[in-house]
Amino acid sequence: MNIFKPYSVKLLKRPVVYRVLVVQLLATFCATLVGVLLQPMIGLAVLLGGLICILAQAFYNYRALRSFGDLNTSNVIAATYNAMWGKWAIVLTLSLLIVILYKELNAAVLYTSLFSIHTLGALMLPVLVKRAA
């Protein structure tokens, strides 16, 4: 009679993170409507800043959670590290490209909207992310 039973590792399911992107998208569209009412170029800057933030967050969610639940912790840390660098590379590259190409666009509004939408996503992340069943 074997008293030691083999331990089977229960794999973790990936958390559901699309809710954060939906909230960021709704906030972007609401802020864009307010910006368009003020001035169309402000609305465009808000929209572009929000879309850059949503694209970068989606990239981060995909790359960082690709190895979620892996038993090798170094794989999880490496995936998160690379995803963060990629996220900020997307943010910096696209925002600088837009600011350089569109001279009449208000850069302060673009970066304010980008920062605001990113902060909203970071604050809502613990509330909206649920484990998959």
Side-chain angles (χ1 to χ4, degrees):
M1 179 169 169
N2 190 0
I3 59 171
F4 296 108
K5 296 179 184 176
Y7 178 71
S8 63
V9 176
K10 182 179 177 185
L11 294 177
L12 297 173
K13 301 281 186 184
R14 285 187 187 166
V16 179
V17 293
Y18 73 90
R19 294 179 187 109
V20 176
L21 297 175
V22 170
V23 168
Q24 287 178 324
L25 190 63
L26 289 174
T28 298
F29 286 146
C30 291
T32 300
L33 288 175
V34 171
V36 167
L37 292 175
L38 295 174
Q39 186 181 6
M41 288 307 287
I42 290 177
L44 180 63
V46 170
L47 179 66
L48 289 175
L51 290 179
I52 289 170
C53 181
I54 292 168
L55 176 70
Q57 185 67 40
F59 174 81
Y60 176 80
N61 291 346
Y62 173 72
R63 291 294 300 247
L65 296 178
R66 206 163 50 172
S67 57
F68 182 83
D70 193 357
L71 297 177
N72 190 353
T73 307
S74 63
N75 289 344
V76 176
I77 293 171
T80 306
Y81 178 79
N82 292 333
M84 187 60 74
W85 275 105
K87 174 184 177 176
W88 288 113
I90 289 171
V91 167
L92 291 174
T93 303
L94 290 180
S95 64
L96 286 175
L97 188 66
I98 287 172
V99 167
I100 290 170
L101 289 178
Y102 294 110
K103 300 288 187 202
E104 64 275 359
L105 196 69
N106 192 341
V109 173
L110 176 88
Y111 285 111
T112 301
S113 68
L114 199 146
F115 177 75
S116 301
I117 298 297
H118 183 269
T119 303
L120 174 70
L123 290 175
M124 296 304 291
L125 191 68
V127 176
L128 295 174
V129 172
K130 306 283 186 209
R131 294 235 183 218

